[in-house]
Amino acid sequence: MKIVRINVENDDIGFEEITSDSTYYLRGARGLSSLMIHDEVPPLCDPLGKENKLIIANGLLAGSPFPCSARTSVGAKSPLTNGIKEANLGGRPAMMLARHGIRAIILENISPLLKLILIDEDGIKLEPAEQYNNLGNYELHSKLKNKYGEKIGIYSIGPAGQYLMKSATVGANDLEGYPSRHAARGGLGAVMGSKKIKAIVIKPPKKSKVNMHDLKKFREVSSPFAKELAQVKETFSTFGTPLMMKAMSGYGGIPTKNFRMGSYDKIDNISGESLHELVLERGGKKRLACSPTCVIKCSNLIVDKDGNHITSSLEYETMALNGTNLLIDDLDSLARIDHLCDDVGIDTIEFGGTVGVAMDCGKLNWGDAEKVFEILDKEIRYNTEVGKLYGNGVKIIGEKLNAERIPQVKGQGISAYDSRVFKAMGVTYATSPMGADHTAGAAIANRVPSLHKDYGELTYNEQKLDLSFELQIYTTVMDSMGCCYFIGPSYENMEILANAINAMYNLTLTREDIIQIGIDIMKTELEFNRKAGITHDMNDVPRFFREEPSDPVDLKYTFELDDLKTFWNRLDKHEF
Ligand code: SF4
């Protein structure tokens, strides 16, 4: 496997082979991007300037048949948090990169012109891309497929990325060919936009360059695990993440009306069950895999009354931040918002949080879906002043409107779980080096990082620091393997990952070695943030979560500041 270093300013392309004595040998995806950012990006640099680098990296298990292992990590210094950032996405391209023998692509400097990068059997080259200037992802992907073939994998940015909006995403095409998968959080699309790279196009190679030391042994580990996942996740496969809508509202922890409430009286209109019926009734699709090797298949495809594609895939976080949070209560509107966000290339979570703050300040009416479409389709798409107000995230709009309630941590909007109710999630938001990112340690109901420990009641503080800590470390490991976190960030699964790595790389790693990889990556990220000025003193949620009891369950955020500040002291002494 090799690392491809592209100086986009002068089209210079370098290759570095990752050998077994390289520091990068056991670093993949998030582990690799975070180490490179730590080693090569000046912590105080302008995230949208020349010195920042965009890293697109495969996991250690990419290219193998291990379940749900074909995700890509995108990393850089984030324009939203000013700290280290990794966001990962499914889709086609990770597997193609691995088959080309590429573990990571590093984009350096700033191109004078809009370009795309083409990877095929003949090598890698940069091409002018002015003809794609400001295109939305849907039209862009359609044109690229016409030119380079239906089977290509694509990473791309929409207009929001080109305008350097801080909520911009890096998108990819899914297995059906739609640009529906996004490295959404942290504004990484703006970093790609700052480099003036519109897309990376990968033609599938005829022959795979993935090395597998012992396929038989590998299958002995991965096949039973894949079988078990397919069985255990049966309900999840059928309904996907939208099934959480009703459950989270039932807990009183779904963001509603800019986090003023935690449950929604019209939740049945936009529940996972209602979505399921709508999709089946109209002939949409359920149980789709978003990337190769996925056995869980939690994605969906939504069509309109005439059977025309609206969006894929509508997920819980999008539905909550743009549905309950904005009091928009119909599924077609949510599907349209999702489509428009995918098209302009903007994070649905950050966008929903941003509009929620605007509605809370009286700039828009609650529930006005038409206005939300207009902001995406007419304002953000054309970089108007209004578009700039809504394209740069929760914190920026909150400060511009003098809002009192700004649901963000370290510059990034809070996701779809109220931290007053989901206590361990609230710890993750406050402490993760990634800002308020649920994917960094998603302590949702019933997720336990170890079957042998008791983590206490969901809504009580007891044991939640440890729960969040363990989830954050295990998630870091899984992110570095390129695995979807729905396979389960758990102590038990660390052993399965160790065995898979051993079979693939001819190693003898233990579960503890694998956990140590997660700890080392976390240290690297925290060290970068410290130098960038993102310190442990900033580990907290906005004041209103401490002062306003949640409605209707009457809970507040009550962790001691000191416990949050010293949270990462666990790194060297925690017993897993
Ligand atoms: S479980 Fe869902 S999100 Fe994860 S890889 Fe499969 S389809 Fe994608």
Side-chain angles (χ1 to χ4, degrees):
M1 283 285 156
K2 56 183 176 286
I3 292 168
V4 181
R5 197 177 282 274
I6 304 178
N7 182 340
V8 299
E9 190 176 353
N10 59 15
D11 295 4
D12 190 38
I13 301 175
F15 298 93
E16 297 159 33
E17 205 58 44
I18 304 177
T19 53
S20 58
D21 56 353
S22 159
T23 44
Y24 296 143
Y25 188 57
L26 285 178
R27 291 287 180 274
R30 173 176 170 182
L32 186 54
S33 72
S34 289
L35 187 57
M36 285 173 164
I37 294 161
H38 173 273
D39 290 351
E40 301 185 17
V41 174
L44 295 173
C45 75
D46 173 2
L48 301 177
K50 203 176 161 110
E51 292 176 301
N52 200 5
K53 302 190 183 192
L54 188 80
I55 293 150
I56 292 174
N58 262 336
L60 292 177
L61 294 171
S64 80
F66 194 82
C68 312
S69 64
R71 293 181 72 82
T72 312
S73 283
V74 182
K77 173 170 169 161
S78 161
L80 207 55
T81 68
N82 270 313
I84 202 160
K85 189 71 203 168
E86 181 267 0
N88 57 69
L89 70 167
R92 291 185 192 182
M95 183 60 94
M96 291 186 194
L97 275 187
R99 290 172 63 82
H100 274 289
I102 296 171
R103 184 173 295 167
I105 300 171
I106 311 172
L107 303 186
E108 299 181 338
N109 283 320
I110 289 179
S111 167
L113 300 167
L114 193 65
K115 291 176 190 162
L116 68 77
I117 296 165
L118 178 64
I119 301 173
D120 62 15
E121 298 272 15
D122 298 330
I124 301 177
K125 62 180 178 189
L126 288 96
E127 296 185 352
E130 282 302 329
Q131 68 269 40
Y132 307 119
N133 190 25
N134 294 340
L135 288 188
N137 280 312
Y138 273 87
E139 191 180 352
L140 171 71
H141 283 222
S142 163
K143 284 184 188 289
L144 292 174
K145 281 191 286 184
N146 281 343
K147 182 161 183 195
Y148 298 104
E150 276 295 321
K151 293 188 174 161
I152 55 173
I154 307 168
Y155 299 107
S156 65
I157 54 170
Q162 283 193 254
Y163 303 140
L164 312 186
M165 289 180 177
K166 294 179 189 205
S167 308
T169 65
V170 176
N173 51 348
D174 61 26
L175 297 185
E176 274 69 43
Y178 296 107
S180 71
R181 314 313 303 190
H182 291 258
R185 309 241 61 200
L188 298 172
V191 180
M192 188 156 156
S194 73
K195 306 282 169 215
K196 293 213 175 67
I197 297 298
K198 181 71 175 168
I200 300 173
V201 175
I202 307 152
K203 290 190 183 176
K206 292 196 181 77
K207 201 164 170 293
S208 173
K209 290 184 180 158
V210 175
N211 287 323
M212 171 62 72
H213 169 69
D214 188 337
L215 184 59
K216 185 167 171 287
K217 209 165 152 194
F218 191 91
R219 287 202 187 280
E220 282 168 14
V221 179
S222 78
S223 300
F225 186 49
K227 210 167 157 192
E228 185 196 322
L229 283 173
Q231 278 168 1
V232 173
K233 304 273 182 177
E234 177 65 25
T235 307
F236 182 60
S237 305
T238 306
F239 292 96
T241 57
L243 193 59
M244 290 198 287
M245 291 293 285
K246 243 175 138 162
M248 296 295 143
S249 184
Y251 280 115
I254 195 167
T256 306
K257 219 177 171 190
N258 190 32
F259 293 84
R260 286 188 182 273
M261 300 182 295
S263 66
Y264 186 40
D265 55 0
K266 294 183 182 160
I267 195 72
D268 285 335
N269 296 355
I270 51 173
S271 67
E273 292 83 346
S274 302
L275 180 69
H276 183 71
E277 278 170 30
L278 185 93
V279 170
L280 295 186
E281 187 186 296
R282 290 183 180 172
K285 291 185 188 168
K286 301 292 305 253
R287 304 177 77 115
L288 292 174
C290 77
S291 50
T293 76
C294 173
V295 294
I296 299 173
K297 304 181 181 175
C298 75
S299 293
N300 56 41
L301 186 155
I302 323 275
V303 297
D304 65 14
K305 290 189 181 105
D306 302 320
N308 300 312
H309 178 267
I310 310 178
T311 199
S312 358
S313 163
L314 189 55
E315 304 287 353
Y316 164 69
E317 285 78 10
T318 303
M319 294 169 77
L321 265 304
N322 296 277
T324 53
N325 195 45
L326 309 184
L327 306 189
I328 292 175
D329 67 341
D330 81 285
L331 290 169
D332 278 307
S333 293
L334 297 185
R336 179 147 172 74
I337 291 169
D338 189 55
H339 169 94
L340 288 170
C341 285
D342 286 350
D343 194 37
V344 299
I346 206 155
D347 177 8
T348 57
I349 296 175
E350 197 70 40
F351 178 70
T354 304
V355 177
V357 171
M359 287 181 171
D360 213 9
C361 291
K363 287 282 284 184
L364 306 171
N365 293 327
W366 292 108
D368 189 348
E370 290 299 325
K371 195 73 197 167
V372 178
F373 303 156
E374 202 180 298
I375 290 169
L376 287 162
D377 211 12
K378 303 252 169 11
E379 310 289 355
I380 289 179
R381 188 183 296 285
Y382 298 107
N383 200 24
T384 65
E385 286 310 309
V386 173
K388 285 175 196 160
L389 184 67
Y390 287 90
N392 286 298
V394 174
K395 182 165 182 255
I396 287 186
I397 198 167
E399 287 171 355
K400 287 210 168 132
L401 299 180
N402 285 323
E404 286 181 2
R405 305 167 75 262
I406 311 175
Q408 59 82 32
V409 177
K410 296 173 190 149
Q412 182 163 255
I414 288 179
S415 185
Y417 310 83
D418 193 313
S419 56
R420 291 165 288 199
V421 178
F422 301 102
K423 300 294 191 195
M425 193 72 98
V427 176
T428 299
Y429 290 151
T431 58
S432 164
M434 302 290 160
D437 191 336
H438 70 283
T439 67
I444 57 170
N446 300 325
R447 178 165 289 149
V448 285
S450 169
L451 295 174
H452 307 294
K453 291 188 184 176
D454 178 7
Y455 297 95
E457 288 293 315
L458 185 80
T459 57
Y460 285 59
N461 285 3
E462 286 71 28
Q463 310 304 328
K464 298 308 180 299
L465 295 162
D466 284 345
L467 172 58
S468 169
F469 175 79
E470 289 177 12
L471 281 177
Q472 290 196 59
I473 295 300
Y474 298 149
T475 301
T476 306
V477 172
M478 291 192 353
D479 287 346
S480 304
M481 302 296 159
C483 290
C484 175
Y485 77 66
F486 291 135
I487 69 170
S490 69
Y491 181 71
E492 287 72 24
N493 286 350
M494 293 301 110
E495 177 115 27
I496 294 175
L497 290 171
N499 292 338
I501 291 288
N502 290 342
M504 188 162 175
Y505 292 86
N506 191 22
L507 296 169
T508 54
L509 300 179
T510 62
R511 178 189 346 230
E512 283 63 38
D513 295 329
I514 289 287
I515 293 173
Q516 191 58 46
I517 289 176
I519 292 172
D520 292 344
I521 295 166
M522 188 60 76
K523 284 182 178 172
T524 304
E525 292 172 348
L526 292 167
E527 174 68 4
F528 180 89
N529 274 5
R530 187 186 63 75
K531 291 181 184 161
I534 317 289
T535 64
H536 298 322
D537 291 343
M538 297 161 78
N539 289 355
D540 197 10
V541 298
R543 215 178 51 216
F544 76 85
F545 287 104
R546 291 186 176 275
E547 293 175 348
E548 290 176 25
S550 62
D551 177 11
V553 285
D554 203 27
L555 293 166
K556 289 183 183 175
Y557 192 85
T558 52
F559 287 100
E560 297 291 334
L561 267 182
D562 209 44
D563 285 340
L564 298 173
K565 263 196 224 176
T566 56
F567 177 81
W568 290 111
N569 291 355
R570 284 170 177 72
L571 277 168
D572 286 318
K573 56 183 188 204
H574 186 80
E575 285 190 18
F576 286 91

